[in-house]
């Protein structure tokens, strides 16, 4: 999930609101393509616990340092999503 969209969804949850595409878009701090927003909100609605898992993985990434390349971050996210899918089955 895009970090900016993740922050917007987290902000809505902190306010006690249910994330929707429109509410999430209104909370964004920078322009994000609509399909990315829709995918993030759909992911949250399909698995509300995923937001907590993403928060944990985001904190691990920050602790690891800012030297991690974008490719490494994408690879970590893919590994995390695959692990979630394996646990679901």
């Amino acid at each position: 999930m895009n970090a900016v969209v993740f922050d917007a969804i987290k902000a809505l949850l902190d306010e006690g609101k249910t994330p929707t595409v429109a509410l999430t878009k209104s909370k964004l701090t920078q322009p994000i393509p609509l399909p990315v927003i829709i995918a993030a909100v759909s992911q949250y609605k399909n698995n509300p616990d995923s937001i907590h898992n993403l928060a944990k993985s985001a904190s691990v990434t920050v602790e690891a340092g800012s030297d991690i390349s974008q490719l490494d971050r994408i690879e970590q996210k893919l590994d995390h999503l695959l692990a979630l899918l394996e646990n679901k089955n």
Side-chain angles (χ1 to χ4, degrees):
M1 183 183 309
N2 185 296
V4 176
V5 179
F6 167 76
D7 291 341
I9 291 174
K10 182 97 171 80
L12 289 169
L13 293 173
D14 291 344
E15 294 174 9
K17 297 179 180 176
T18 302
T20 63
V21 173
L23 284 175
T24 302
K25 186 172 177 158
S26 72
K27 288 286 185 186
L28 294 175
T29 58
Q30 66 187 45
I32 301 291
L34 194 57
V36 173
I37 301 167
I38 293 169
V41 171
S42 294
Q43 179 184 344
Y44 170 75
K45 287 184 177 183
N46 289 333
N47 184 8
D49 292 333
S50 67
I51 200 83
H52 303 297
N53 294 334
L54 287 172
K56 290 177 188 174
S57 67
S59 66
V60 169
T61 301
V62 169
E63 291 171 8
S66 60
D67 294 339
I68 299 175
S69 72
Q70 183 176 5
L71 181 59
D72 290 336
R73 287 192 305 271
I74 291 170
E75 195 172 292
Q76 287 176 348
K77 289 178 185 179
L78 180 60
D79 290 342
H80 178 71
L81 290 172
L82 289 172
L84 287 173
L85 284 172
E86 288 174 2
N87 289 339
K88 194 172 185 178
N89 293 331

